[in-house]
Structure formats: structure tokens, C-alpha cells
Amino acid sequence: MMLSTDDTRILIIDDDALTRALLVESLGEAGFQMVEAADGESGLAAFDAERPDVVLLDVMMPGIDGFEVCRRLRQHPRRGRVPVIMLTGLDDTRSIERAYDSGATDFIAKPINWVLLRYRIGYVLRAATALEELIRSERNLTSAQQIARMGSWEWSLESDDLRHSDGYFRIFGEDSLTFGDGLEAFLARVYPPDRPRVEEALTGARKGRGYQQDYRIVRPDGLVRTVHETAVVLTDPAGLPVSVQGTLQDVSERVEAETRIRYLAFFDDLTGLPNRACFREMLQGALLRTARRGTRCGVILLDVERFARVNESLGQEAGDQALQLIAARLREFQRSVLDAYVRTMIEPETPRVARMGGDAFAMLVEDAPDADEVESQIHRLLGRLKRPFHVAGQELTLSARVGFTLAPDHGTEVESLLKAAESAVSEARRGGSGQGVQAFTEAMKIAAYARLSTENDLRRAVAANELRLFYQPKVDARDGRLLGAEALVRWQHPARGLLPPGEFIPLAEETGLIGPLSDWVLDQALAFLARCRDQGLAPLPISVNLCAAQFRSDKLVADLAASLARHGLPGHLLEIEVTESILMKDVDLASAMFAAIADQGIRISIDDFGTGYSSLAYLKRFRVHTLKIDRSFVRDLEEGGGDAAIVGAIIALAGNLGMGVIAEGVEEPAQASILLERGCSHMQGYYFARPLPEEAYREVLSQGLPNLRRDDWAFDPVL
């Protein structure tokens, strides 16, 4: 009966303290009892004292090495059959043969795959239990072999006769009558590519060398199975080999499980391409070969543009199909073009395309030419990707942004090269290359360091009280009456001065800091309203922008109510602004959320209206009070044309839906006049007032906007 993990004692013999610690942590979590030894001599002593069930043995150690320790363990009078798994960083066949010659049960190469190691331990424990059962009672030999899918055999070297157990024949799917006699019958059933290795092992057995090995056999039904064979040589008193005894076990399920584990760990289920973890290993190997040959290695990252729209419009299944088609084109391109550089250098089937996650892919080019040639080939790749795809009955045309880097030009480490390629593809997404392809440059490295520094500073800014709220008045252009203001955040950076939102809001969105920052803006705006009330000023509504993270939160409605209550304010003094793109991601959520917010008396405005893709059919479902005309339409009003028509349509739409309308970005008197003529009197922009600090806006509340001369507020227009 096999031991449970709680009963299983494992002895680790390894001179590397870190490896021992990792083994203890990993296997201890699985419930095994762990014993450690730092060298061969202390390991042998621990073996005698602790009576372990399994030994994990390092090959290379000071003093006696792992091979000698294993040999001595096998000579132990009482526990010489304890499974020994050798841990080795050596990958040559001779080292593996020496391990088995020394009596090792199995081996696993470093770096260790922890999932695979646990599986191997379970396997050798099962095999050891089966073997002990066989030795304990020959009467139960047949049943034990059947349970373990194991068979036994004996080969007389003097007569060349072979005897097999019934379990042996069962593994081959035959019986003694159909199997035939002699080594020739056995070798005929060995999978042809493995046959030379098996013949070599048998030749060694004739000379007195035992062996352990895995090889494949072919059954009469054509099924290929993997077996594990252990053979020991018996000698006469003079030490001459007289017979060979062996066991054969069907380990196909173990091999298949290990293959599956590796596939899950290193390959993408959807496309069949290697995943990010596998690509890292591929790149590490390529860098070693590149350094040895003195050549270049190219890393290419590819990001499919606007792929989310495929999922949104056609569904997840169609999106998955599109990803599979993209993967197929990348493989095709690899075979037809990039292989020309590496065909004579590495194995033709070595994968060099990977899916890094989502709609991002990577390619590896060994022995790459110069950057200009790599870029030329990338443009050819993009040309292939732009050919229409047929998905879910629709014809799709997709494009991509690509960043690439070269080793050793831009680095010699996996991490540095991947970061360089990611910086390049980010620059390509921002349109820095102009053509969708961007090579990494040293300027990007400098910008990345600056960006990291800004991110660290931004994380500190809220706690350090470095953020400032400015208030841009909203006015009725017919009489100059103040309607309220929009709260706009600025950053008083200790070294760089007052920063506009464009310097840090995009970074806050990328890093997840936009949520806490937006919460701070809401709280500070309401606190300002409360101070105005306490000072005897009649507060006017303040609008605050909601970010996507806040809007998706199931606590938003409760948080708004709690914030108003904390400051003792009614809901009508708060207006929230939400962009079209946020609300259209989940129309049902937006409709329910707006209704609950409006029930508190809070006003709702759709910001940047006209720049998104909201459906009029959905718009009428929302309890929205105001549509805010984006500044991009206001800017060119004086020139007439399409923008004027769009503004007129938005104003008419708002009127038909019973909503208010306000135009932002009004900077010229002519713009204000045109808006008034078209029926929009509520405006916001530099023509009336720039964003004002708290003290200045408080003066506006007390004296009114007409009493101010705009020249008094000399703020940088970008703010």
C-alpha cells in the first residue's frame, strides 16, 4: 500500500542551500516530511538514522559525488531499494547513463519543474511499492504486475533463452504463442527510432552492465506505448555475467501526463503557440547561441490594433477564431521568410512565434540581419496580416503595431530585451514611428526611466498633499451669470512645478492610480462646497469627472451618498461627468447606475459628447441631464462646415430628449456667438475664465464673474 504524503519521508542530499530550501518549501506544502543533508557523507548518515522513503540526490557535490553516494545506498543491507531520484544540471547522455549505472531510480534535470517533480516522486513511490510487493511474495507476482502494468523477464546468457511473465506479454498486447522467441521477436516490436538504443543496452548487459531506460513499443493494433525497463545482471562466483533479469512497466500515462503538464505550462491552448513563459526560455537559448556565434538576435512584439472591437461586435467565439487565423499567418510567415536566416543554424521545427497574451504576439529571429532589414521583413509581415480575414460570415481587415529590438545592440539579458521591445511597441502604439513599426532606441530607455520616476512620484503625491484642485467656471453667455464650475486636478510637483493633467492622468490610468486620484478629487470638491457654505457663500454645483474604475464599482452609488452625507451637502450641488466610451461598455449597467445616482438628486452629464460611439437608441434610456459638446467641435465653428452641423445636431438632439447642453473649450467671441445663435447658452472656456485656484474661485462666488478682468488670472493656457 502506498504511503500518504504525510507518512512519506524525503531525504534531500544537496550542497546547494538554496536548492534545499526550495525543495523543502515546495514538497513541504504537499505534505511530505523533509530531511536535509549538505553533502554525501552526512547524507549517508542521515539515510541510516532517518530511514527515508525517497532520496533526492544532487550529482555534483564536494567530497563524494552523487554517483558514489547512490552506489553506497544500493549496498545498504536493509533499505537498498529505496527510490533515488538524481537532480542534475548535466544534460548529456553519459551522465544519465552513469546515474542509472549507479542505481538511480530516476533523474530530473535542473532547473526543476516543481509540478513535474511531485509527479515523479509519486511515480517512483508507486513503482517502489509495486517492486516491494513483487519481492515480498512471488505468489502474488502475477496480480501485482497486472496492477502496476508491469512484467518481468529473464535472459540466460549461456543458452540465449528468454523467459517472460504473463504481465510482460500483456504490455505488448499479446500472449506467449503469438509473441515469438528470442531477442529478435522482442526487437521487432520496439519502435524503430528507439531500436538502436535498446540494442546498445542489451549489448552492454551481455558484458555485465545493468541499465534503466524508457523506450517505445508498437502493439499489434498499431498503438504506440512507452515502457520503462530496469535490468540487472547476475554473475557467477567468478564475477562473470550468467543471466539478466528485468522488469518492464507501461508508463505511457506518466509520459502523457508530463507532456500535458509541459504543454499547459509552456503553450497557449487557443492558438497552439508557445506562451510567454516558453518564449522567455526560447529567447534565453537564442541569446546563448548568439553570443557563441557572434551574431544578432531579434525580438519582435506585435500588438493587434482595435481587436477588442471584434469581440464587442462579433462575440468572443469570433474573436478566438480571429486569433487562431492570426497565429496561422504568423507561422506561415515564419516558415517562408524568417527561416531563411536560421535554417542552417537550428532545428527547422524550433518554434519562434509565441502568443504573449490577449492580442499580443512575439517573434524571435536568430542570426538576424541589421535593423533596416528586420524592419523591411516586418513590413512584409504586416502586409500579410492586412489581407482580409473571414470570420463569422464577416470580412475583417486587421492591422498591428510592432516594436522590435536587437541583441546584443540593446541588451544581452532576457528581461532587458523584452522590456526594450515593449517600450518600442508602446511607442509604435502612440504613433511615434508613423508607420506602425518602431525599433527600440536609447531615447526610449531614458523616457522609460523618467516615466518610472514620475509613476513613483505620483504614488506619493496624494499622501504628500501635492495635488491641487482648480475650478473652471460654467456660465450662461446670455447674461454672464455663473452656473457652477468643473473641478480639475493639477499636480504641484516639488521639482517640476505645477503640472497639467496631460502630464500625469494617462499614467494614472495605466498604473491603476486613477481610482484613488478620482476619489480624492470628489472628496476635495465636496469639502470645498462645505467650506463655502460655512463661510456664508451660496455654493453653486460642482461637476466631477468619474473614471472607468469608479463607474464599474458596485459601491459607487453608496460611496456618492456617503460622501455627500459626510460633508452635509444635498445631491443637487454635485454633477458627475462620464464619457461616452465608459457608459457604452455596459449599457444595462450604465442605465441602472444613472437611475440610482439621479434618485439622490445628483446631476449627470455626458462629457466629450460626439467623440464616442453612443447609440441614440440607448441614449434615451439614460437619466442624463446634460450633453457636453466636445471642444474639438467648438474649435472650428468659425470655419463652418461639418463641425457646425454636428454642433447644431447635438443641440437639437438634447432639446428633443429634454436634456440640457453645454459647450466646452469656448475661447473666442465668435464661437460664443455661433453657439448662442444655435440655441446653446451654457458655456465653459478661456473666453470666460480659465481654471482658477480655490481662492480665486471663491472670489468669483462672492463678487460674480463680470467683476473680474481676465488679465488678472495669468495662468498657462495648458493648465
Side-chain angles (χ1 to χ4, degrees):
M1 183 173 178
M2 194 171 121
L3 295 170
S4 70
T5 55
D6 290 338
D7 299 325
T8 302
R9 188 182 297 271
I10 298 177
L11 171 60
I12 304 168
I13 307 175
D14 196 316
D15 64 314
D16 187 335
L18 178 59
T19 299
R20 294 200 309 273
L22 292 173
L23 286 167
V24 168
E25 179 69 18
S26 175
L27 298 178
E29 276 187 5
F32 295 106
Q33 301 178 35
M34 310 302 299
V35 180
E36 299 180 59
D39 56 55
E41 293 291 354
S42 60
L44 291 170
F47 185 88
D48 288 328
E50 300 292 340
R51 299 173 64 86
D53 300 294
V54 179
V55 177
L56 300 180
L57 177 59
D58 188 29
V59 169
M60 306 303 294
M61 293 185 294
I64 59 174
D65 63 16
F67 301 124
E68 179 60 23
V69 172
C70 190
R71 280 191 289 270
R72 294 190 191 182
L73 290 177
R74 289 297 175 237
Q75 296 167 5
H76 196 284
R78 289 181 292 108
R79 296 177 62 79
R81 292 188 298 274
V82 171
V84 177
I85 300 177
M86 301 201 78
L87 311 176
T88 175
L90 306 175
D91 59 359
D92 58 288
T93 305
R94 178 58 187 152
S95 297
I96 297 171
E97 289 175 352
R98 285 188 66 193
Y100 284 132
D101 289 345
S102 302
T105 308
D106 205 347
F107 79 97
I108 190 165
K110 295 180 180 179
I112 297 170
N113 183 314
W114 303 105
V115 176
L116 186 59
L117 176 61
R118 294 181 191 179
Y119 186 87
R120 286 276 181 89
I121 290 173
Y123 163 70
V124 298
L125 284 170
R126 287 195 298 273
T129 301
L131 186 57
E132 287 294 331
E133 289 293 334
L134 290 172
I135 296 171
R136 187 178 300 118
S137 176
E138 287 192 10
R139 291 183 297 111
N140 298 323
L141 178 61
T142 301
S143 60
Q145 287 181 344
Q146 185 172 1
I147 292 170
R149 282 178 293 186
M150 182 179 286
S152 61
W153 54 272
E154 184 174 1
W155 177 24
S156 171
L157 298 179
E158 294 179 345
S159 63
D160 209 27
D161 288 337
L162 272 170
R163 288 183 294 175
H164 307 92
S165 70
D166 291 340
Y168 183 94
F169 292 123
R170 278 195 296 272
I171 292 173
F172 285 86
E174 300 190 51
D175 56 35
S176 58
L177 297 177
T178 61
F179 193 83
D181 298 323
L183 288 177
E184 292 76 12
F186 158 68
L187 289 171
R189 289 163 173 80
V190 176
Y191 194 64
D194 296 347
R195 199 172 294 161
R197 181 160 49 86
V198 174
E199 291 175 336
E200 183 180 353
L202 293 172
T203 300
R206 284 185 183 274
K207 299 176 182 179
R209 294 197 302 269
Y211 63 86
Q212 294 188 55
Q213 65 176 349
D214 291 351
Y215 57 87
R216 291 164 292 180
I217 61 171
V218 182
R219 293 164 56 114
D221 57 5
L223 187 66
V224 177
R225 305 291 288 174
T226 301
V227 296
H228 177 77
E229 188 170 53
T230 300
V232 295
V233 179
L234 305 181
T235 60
D236 61 15
L240 297 175
V242 293
S243 67
V244 184
Q245 292 182 352
T247 59
L248 191 74
Q249 184 177 20
D250 187 340
V251 294
S252 301
E253 289 184 4
R254 185 203 81 186
V255 172
E256 290 168 3
E258 291 180 359
T259 301
R260 181 60 179 166
I261 289 171
R262 178 171 177 80
Y263 182 85
L264 291 175
F266 292 107
F267 287 82
D268 172 51
D269 258 351
L270 178 64
T271 63
L273 292 176
N275 61 16
R276 175 180 285 271
C278 187
F279 187 78
R280 291 166 60 89
E281 289 200 2
M282 290 156 46
L283 179 55
Q284 182 63 62
L287 289 174
L288 292 174
R289 289 188 292 271
T290 295
R292 189 166 58 246
R293 294 195 293 259
T295 57
R296 285 190 179 93
C297 173
V299 178
I300 301 169
L301 293 186
L302 181 147
D303 189 17
V304 181
E305 289 190 283
R306 296 182 296 279
F307 186 79
R309 293 191 179 181
V310 177
N311 287 329
E312 291 170 0
S313 58
L314 299 180
Q316 185 70 45
E317 186 175 345
D320 289 348
Q321 185 181 349
L323 288 172
Q324 291 168 339
L325 293 172
I326 291 170
R329 289 199 182 173
L330 290 175
R331 287 195 197 95
E332 174 192 346
F333 180 77
Q334 170 193 280
R335 288 191 297 268
S336 65
V337 179
L338 295 184
D339 275 356
Y341 302 129
V342 294
R343 192 173 291 129
T344 61
M345 297 294 180
I346 59 177
E347 299 86 347
E349 296 304 318
T350 300
R352 288 175 298 283
V353 177
R355 184 186 179 199
M356 304 297 276
D359 54 12
F361 296 84
M363 301 188 78
L364 176 62
V365 187
E366 289 195 51
D367 296 287
D370 58 29
D372 290 341
E373 180 61 24
V374 170
E375 183 169 347
S376 173
Q377 300 298 348
I378 291 172
H379 280 293
R380 292 181 60 188
L381 168 63
L382 292 177
R384 294 193 181 202
L385 287 178
K386 287 179 181 178
R387 297 202 309 261
F389 293 90
H390 293 279
V391 176
Q394 300 290 324
E395 185 175 277
L396 301 179
T397 301
L398 298 175
S399 57
R401 295 283 178 173
V402 178
F404 72 94
T405 185
L406 296 175
D409 307 49
H410 304 137
T412 57
E413 301 293 332
V414 170
E415 282 301 323
S416 61
L417 286 169
L418 286 176
K419 287 181 180 177
E422 287 166 358
S423 296
V425 79
S426 295
E427 183 67 19
R429 281 196 296 266
R430 287 190 289 267
S433 65
Q435 297 178 331
V437 180
Q438 178 67 59
F440 177 75
T441 65
E442 289 300 316
M444 293 179 195
K445 182 186 294 185
I446 296 171
Y449 282 124
R451 191 174 181 81
L452 178 61
S453 175
T454 302
E455 179 183 341
N456 292 334
D457 290 346
L458 184 57
R459 291 184 183 278
R460 188 202 66 244
V462 175
N465 198 29
E466 294 175 3
L467 298 178
R468 303 283 185 270
L469 270 193
F470 279 55
Y471 300 89
Q472 185 169 32
K474 299 178 181 179
V475 301
D476 188 327
R478 292 171 297 189
D479 54 16
R481 180 170 52 91
L482 186 64
L483 302 172
E486 179 180 1
L488 301 169
V489 65
R490 305 292 186 259
W491 180 7
Q492 188 67 54
H493 193 281
R496 299 167 59 190
L498 193 64
L499 300 182
E503 293 282 332
F504 61 93
I505 291 297
L507 181 61
E509 291 173 339
E510 290 179 18
T511 57
L513 294 173
I514 190 65
L517 190 152
S518 298
D519 290 339
W520 180 90
V521 170
L522 173 64
D523 183 72
Q524 291 298 307
L526 294 179
F528 170 69
L529 285 174
R531 286 194 297 273
C532 290
R533 176 201 60 201
D534 296 342
Q535 294 167 6
L537 293 175
L540 292 174
I542 288 182
S543 61
V544 175
N545 290 277
L546 284 189
C547 69
Q550 288 175 299
F551 192 73
R552 288 194 297 267
S553 172
D554 54 7
K555 300 189 301 179
L556 174 61
V557 176
D559 287 347
L560 290 173
S563 296
L564 289 167
R566 185 167 60 254
H567 296 287
L569 296 171
H572 71 267
L573 288 179
L574 175 64
E575 180 178 51
I576 63 169
E577 296 190 6
V578 182
T579 63
E580 282 183 278
S581 57
I582 291 177
L583 65 91
M584 291 306 295
K585 284 189 178 298
D586 190 330
V587 173
D588 292 333
L589 171 66
S591 180
M593 193 78 75
F594 281 177
I597 292 171
D599 285 342
Q600 298 185 41
I602 300 171
R603 296 181 62 82
I604 301 167
S605 172
I606 298 182
D607 194 16
D608 301 336
F609 188 78
T611 62
Y613 50 93
S614 57
S615 165
L616 298 183
Y618 289 136
L619 188 60
K620 66 182 181 181
R621 290 174 48 186
F622 300 141
R623 288 180 63 179
V624 172
H625 301 88
T626 306
L627 300 182
K628 199 168 188 181
I629 302 172
D630 185 67
R631 67 181 66 247
S632 62
F633 300 124
V634 174
R635 183 173 52 240
D636 298 326
L637 273 178
E638 299 172 71
E639 301 176 7
D643 287 342
I646 292 172
V647 168
I650 294 174
I651 295 170
L653 173 65
N656 291 333
L657 294 176
M659 300 176 184
V661 64
I662 183 171
E664 64 178 348
V666 180
E667 300 181 0
E668 302 293 338
Q671 295 169 346
S673 296
I674 295 172
L675 288 166
L676 281 171
E677 289 172 2
R678 292 182 176 270
C680 174
S681 61
H682 292 185
M683 304 181 198
Q684 175 184 349
Y686 292 162
Y687 176 62
F688 303 99
R690 302 180 182 215
L692 307 174
E694 180 177 321
E695 297 79 7
Y697 182 61
R698 187 182 291 111
E699 185 178 347
V700 170
L701 287 175
S702 63
Q703 299 181 11
L705 187 63
N707 294 330
L708 291 176
R709 300 189 310 276
R710 288 200 301 276
D711 295 342
D712 292 340
W713 311 105
F715 301 109
D716 189 331
V718 300
L719 297 177

